[in-house]
Amino acid sequence: MRIFVRTISLCVLIAFLTFFGIPENWQNFPVTSKIYKARATNYLTNPSFTGNATSWTLSTSTYDSSKYQDSAGSIKTQTAVGRNNTNSGNASQTISTNIGSADTVQLSLYWSKQCVSVTCTTNTISVDIAKPSAPSTWVTIWSDTSTPSAGSATSWTGPSSLDVSSYFDETGQYNIRLYANLKNGNDKNAQSLTWFDNVNLNVIPAVISVSVSDGVVSYGITAANSTKDTTSSSLNDSQTATNNGNVAENFNIKGQNSANWTLAGTNGSDIYRHRFCTLTCDTTPTWTALTTSYQTLATGVATSGNQVFDLEIQTPNPSTVYTQQSVDVTVQAVAQ
Amino acid sequence: MMKKTLAIITFASFLFATSNLLVWAADTGSVTATVTVQNISVSISDGTVTYGTLSNNATADTTSGGLNDSQTATNDGNVTENFNIRGANSASWTLAGTNGSDIYRHRFCTSDCDGTPTWNALTTSYQTLATGVATSGNQVFDLEIQTPNPSTVYTQQSVDVTVQAVAN
């Protein structure tokens, strides 16, 4: 019985951790589960420098166990004490999980700066990324150029859930670095320092999903070389493609050959035509012939947005078969 | 038993926990569309009437009291149909409502033909034989001929009858 209870508890714990992640005691970023089907996940390893800087490659910058936003350590970059001294440093890592170009990416971090004796000449910090196609080229996705007045270190502050998705326009493995560029003021006791802590790169994987409602068109029995459509004056059965994903989508559409008919732009013997319309279809429709390859139905359809469309069929002239034909239409959704 | 239960619970927990992590790069929806081309088709069974050799101004018919060879028109299409019927002039005779010299009469009947038939004279134009005949439905009919009075020819004449089907 004890084993049974322990196993149940373990299962519940696994499910909890999978859904909600390992609890982070410094900050929680709520995920609006009503909108997103996929949960945000921090893709950085050792984001809070708890006890060490493992998984980060340090260049000039160092691990500082004595200063932190909430607990145990941060990344520090500093200059040597002295008039107009400079230094730049960084902590970098290769993000182990690929990021998709359609993913939603949010940056959160804390920083602190200090200018000793006099205001720093330069105390610029940034978060940079290197894209999969150019792993040595750094692109700044966030920066702060403020130079605090001389005195003690500033309070911890920083961006929270800053949407940086637009910078992640490739799919693949990214590098990230926490960069600091420092220059002392013109004073013999001057020193410039900066710290990073709790750097989170939360990624919400793109969910691409589309549904078509009602998804059924029954043209019924119609004469050869005749047309029938879904507009209000005919079957009155317009179709609605809805973006059920969490990113803007493009919709594509294609038709198909049936068992006995070939789909083409002009009907003929055992050749049928199938067309779609998206604009003023009930009044002055513009019909576009379907093919067996995808073509654009709609672009930039927002989450929960939709595209209404109509279909029109023209039967073969003549048809050598009189059995029911499946002339299905497929709508494909891809990330915008 | 306990081990099996634990295994099932563990597996179910895993599926439940990972189900929300699925991510799609593309997705498709579909419109299931169907269409059938209208087929208008009729057949006549047995399709042959042999009146044989008749004297001038004589009648013969396909009812049970005559040749007993009623004809059946069947809707072989996939929609409800109307049937029309017409006769034809033969090589030497003209079709008309009243017979005469080298003029013959040809009539059809669709109701109570073996009892108290109502005969309608065929013409060379279509007239209604039946309406609203469902798919696989049929219309039985009889034919009656009256030979010319007199006929100036004594060769076999083809006095064919045509049944047309149109969509109801």
Side-chain angles (χ1 to χ4, degrees):
Chain A
M1 189 61 187
R2 288 176 60 190
I3 294 174
F4 178 78
V5 172
R6 284 181 181 177
T7 305
I8 293 296
S9 301
L10 181 61
C11 293
V12 171
L13 179 62
I14 290 171
F16 178 85
L17 292 177
T18 306
F19 274 112
F20 302 106
I22 298 172
E24 295 171 330
N25 58 5
W26 60 278
Q27 189 173 9
N28 289 320
F29 294 98
V31 177
T32 51
S33 58
K34 288 183 179 178
I35 297 175
Y36 300 119
K37 291 181 178 178
R39 195 179 62 82
T41 302
N42 184 12
Y43 277 20
L44 300 184
T45 304
N46 188 19
S48 56
F49 316 108
T50 303
N52 53 55
T54 301
S55 300
W56 294 91
T57 299
L58 304 183
S59 174
T60 306
S61 299
T62 58
Y63 172 70
D64 185 350
S65 62
S66 64
K67 184 172 174 62
Y68 42 82
Q69 187 268 326
D70 53 1
S71 63
S74 62
I75 293 295
K76 179 176 71 174
T77 309
Q78 64 182 359
T79 57
V81 176
R83 196 182 305 274
N84 298 321
N85 282 342
T86 63
N87 188 26
S88 62
N90 69 81
S92 65
Q93 76 171 240
T94 298
I95 302 171
S96 58
T97 304
N98 284 359
I99 297 176
S101 59
D103 293 351
T104 299
V105 186
Q106 297 172 337
L107 175 68
S108 301
L109 62 89
Y110 285 94
W111 59 264
S112 175
K113 295 180 179 179
Q114 185 177 12
C115 295
V116 178
S117 187
V118 292
T119 300
C120 308
T121 299
T122 302
N123 195 328
T124 296
I125 56 175
S126 64
V127 174
D128 306 329
I129 61 168
K131 299 181 181 182
S133 62
S136 299
T137 302
W138 294 103
V139 176
T140 298
I141 64 172
W142 171 88
S143 65
D144 182 272
T145 60
S146 62
T147 50
S149 301
S152 57
T154 63
S155 299
W156 289 99
T157 187
S160 175
S161 298
L162 176 68
D163 190 340
V164 292
S165 304
S166 61
Y167 295 100
F168 293 82
D169 55 3
E170 297 178 6
T171 296
Q173 191 167 50
Y174 283 78
N175 297 321
I176 188 170
R177 75 174 182 182
L178 314 176
Y179 179 77
N181 183 31
L182 309 173
K183 183 177 182 180
N184 294 346
N186 188 18
D187 186 276
K188 66 177 183 180
N189 297 316
Q191 188 182 24
S192 306
L193 304 95
T194 190
W195 294 265
F196 286 100
D197 198 5
N198 293 321
V199 183
N200 274 17
L201 195 68
N202 284 328
V203 179
I204 302 168
V207 175
I208 307 297
S209 177
V210 64
S211 63
V212 181
S213 178
D214 65 347
V216 177
V217 173
S218 298
Y219 289 115
I221 299 173
T222 183
N225 196 33
S226 66
T227 61
K228 197 172 274 188
D229 61 60
T230 60
T231 65
S232 58
S233 60
S234 186
L235 295 175
N236 193 26
D237 190 18
S238 299
Q239 301 296 304
T240 303
T242 301
N243 177 356
N244 295 324
N246 61 7
V247 295
E249 296 175 351
N250 295 336
F251 291 161
N252 301 316
I253 191 170
K254 71 176 182 180
Q256 67 174 28
N257 299 323
S258 72
N260 300 104
W261 299 344
T262 301
L263 176 65
T266 305
N267 72 332
S269 179
D270 287 334
I271 299 172
Y272 82 108
R273 185 184 71 186
H274 212 177
R275 303 193 295 184
F276 71 96
C277 167
T278 57
L279 190 66
T280 61
C281 305
D282 289 336
T283 52
T284 54
T286 300
W287 296 106
T288 303
L290 291 166
T291 69
T292 54
S293 299
Y294 282 116
Q295 56 188 304
T296 300
L297 174 67
T299 58
V301 182
T303 298
S304 300
N306 64 55
Q307 175 65 57
V308 176
F309 62 99
D310 281 283
L311 295 170
E312 180 218 56
I313 196 168
Q314 184 177 30
T315 51
N317 183 26
S319 175
T320 61
V321 294
Y322 301 101
T323 52
Q324 180 174 283
Q325 301 293 305
S326 292
V327 289
D328 295 352
V329 172
T330 302
V331 175
Q332 176 196 56
V334 296
Q336 187 190 25
Chain B
M1 184 63 184
M2 178 67 82
K3 286 183 177 178
K4 283 186 177 179
T5 304
L6 292 176
I8 291 170
I9 291 172
T10 304
F11 183 63
S13 299
F14 174 78
L15 288 180
F16 178 69
T18 57
S19 62
N20 202 39
L21 302 179
L22 298 176
V23 174
W24 301 269
D27 188 32
T28 58
S30 65
V31 178
T32 303
T34 53
V35 65
T36 305
V37 163
Q38 173 180 275
N39 181 24
I40 307 297
S41 179
V42 63
S43 62
I44 307 296
S45 180
D46 63 352
T48 302
V49 174
T50 304
Y51 288 116
T53 302
L54 300 173
S55 59
N56 283 323
N57 197 30
T59 61
D61 63 56
T62 60
T63 65
S64 60
L67 297 173
N68 193 23
D69 189 17
S70 298
Q71 300 297 302
T72 302
T74 301
N75 177 355
D76 295 331
N78 57 14
V79 293
T80 300
E81 296 174 351
N82 296 335
F83 292 160
N84 301 317
I85 191 170
R86 73 177 183 187
N89 297 325
S90 70
S92 305
W93 298 345
T94 301
L95 177 64
T98 304
N99 69 335
S101 177
D102 287 335
I103 298 172
Y104 82 107
R105 186 182 71 186
H106 211 174
R107 301 193 296 184
F108 71 97
C109 168
T110 58
S111 178
D112 193 22
C113 304
D114 291 335
T116 53
T118 300
W119 295 105
N120 298 291
L122 291 165
T123 69
T124 54
S125 300
Y126 282 115
Q127 55 189 301
T128 301
L129 174 65
T131 58
V133 181
T135 298
S136 300
N138 63 56
Q139 176 64 58
V140 176
F141 63 100
D142 283 283
L143 295 170
E144 179 216 55
I145 194 169
Q146 184 177 29
T147 53
N149 184 20
S151 173
T152 61
V153 294
Y154 299 99
T155 55
Q156 181 175 286
Q157 300 293 305
S158 293
V159 289
D160 293 350
V161 172
T162 302
V163 174
Q164 175 195 57
V166 296
N168 179 241

